[in-house]
Amino acid sequence: MKKIITLAILLLLVLGCSKPADEPVDEPPPPPLPPPPEPEIMDLSLTSPAFEDGQPIPQKYTCWGDNANPPLKIDNIPTGTQSLALIMDDPDAPSGTWVHWLVWNMDPGTTDIKEDHYFINEGKNSWYESKYGGPCPPSGTHRYFFKLYALDEQLNLPSGTQKKHLEGAMKGHILGQGELIGTVSK
């Protein structure tokens, strides 16, 4: 009798602890979805009526002239652009890349930047000034890159922002990019 009761208890325990046949078996979760692909970055057109791409920048726009920014023309701005940003720098400077001009939150409808133009949102150049600083190479021929970015948002940056912070804020928000290179020799 003791054996029957013990067997009955064991049978109840086994049946009570097992899952019914129609209950799903625990499966591992599916792998996470891959991140969405980065949007394709479109080519913007950035030109200047003052100089051709790869050609000398007139002295008027250097530290030996009026130190005024050259006029620029913008075209092919992608749909969805909420703001434009511009970085001008000199990668040939002896102490490393020299920043000449930082601008952000330009109106996406901008097609012309006038000569000697002032913007509300300008960052610190390598002279620690929040304005355009014209080319002024100490020797030899230097290249000056005007890099234009179409962004999918306005950037919330304080006045006087530095290049690395501007580039960090733009990351993941670039819809289009264009470049114009000028040279200056001493």
Side-chain angles (χ1 to χ4, degrees):
M1 178 76 168
K2 244 182 181 185
K3 278 187 174 186
I4 295 177
I5 293 177
T6 305
L7 281 174
I9 291 174
L10 282 175
L11 185 61
L12 286 174
L13 284 174
V14 169
L15 290 176
C17 292
S18 66
K19 293 183 177 186
D22 60 344
E23 193 171 307
V25 177
D26 287 339
E27 294 182 21
L33 295 174
E38 287 288 323
E40 184 178 332
I41 296 178
M42 296 183 62
D43 288 331
L44 301 178
S45 172
L46 182 61
T47 60
S48 177
F51 64 96
E52 295 291 321
D53 189 41
Q55 297 302 307
I57 297 171
Q59 184 172 335
K60 176 179 187 175
Y61 306 111
T62 71
C63 68
W64 305 299
D66 295 341
N67 206 28
N69 69 272
L72 299 172
K73 299 227 175 259
I74 301 168
D75 198 18
N76 201 32
I77 298 170
T79 304
T81 298
Q82 298 298 309
S83 70
L84 299 171
L86 179 70
I87 296 173
M88 178 196 170
D89 57 23
D90 169 9
D92 302 319
S95 61
T97 300
W98 193 267
V99 178
H100 287 264
W101 200 18
L102 299 174
V103 182
W104 64 91
N105 288 348
M106 286 188 285
D107 187 292
T110 302
T111 57
D112 290 294
I113 297 175
K114 305 289 185 215
E115 179 179 304
D116 202 22
H117 191 82
Y118 169 78
F119 289 96
I120 294 172
N121 297 298
E122 291 187 296
K124 282 209 187 317
N125 58 30
S126 291
W127 289 283
Y128 301 102
E129 297 176 325
S130 294
K131 64 180 187 174
Y132 174 85
C136 199
S139 63
T141 299
H142 287 227
R143 297 167 300 152
Y144 297 88
F145 289 72
F146 293 81
K147 297 175 279 192
L148 179 70
Y149 302 91
L151 307 174
D152 66 2
E153 71 174 12
Q154 292 269 321
L155 301 177
N156 185 18
L157 296 170
S159 180
T161 291
Q162 295 180 334
K163 179 183 171 187
K164 66 182 176 183
H165 297 116
L166 173 57
E167 290 174 329
M170 291 190 309
K171 190 173 179 140
H173 298 287
I174 299 172
L175 300 174
Q177 184 174 343
E179 185 175 86
L180 173 65
I181 302 171
T183 63
V184 174
S185 299
K186 181 174 180 183

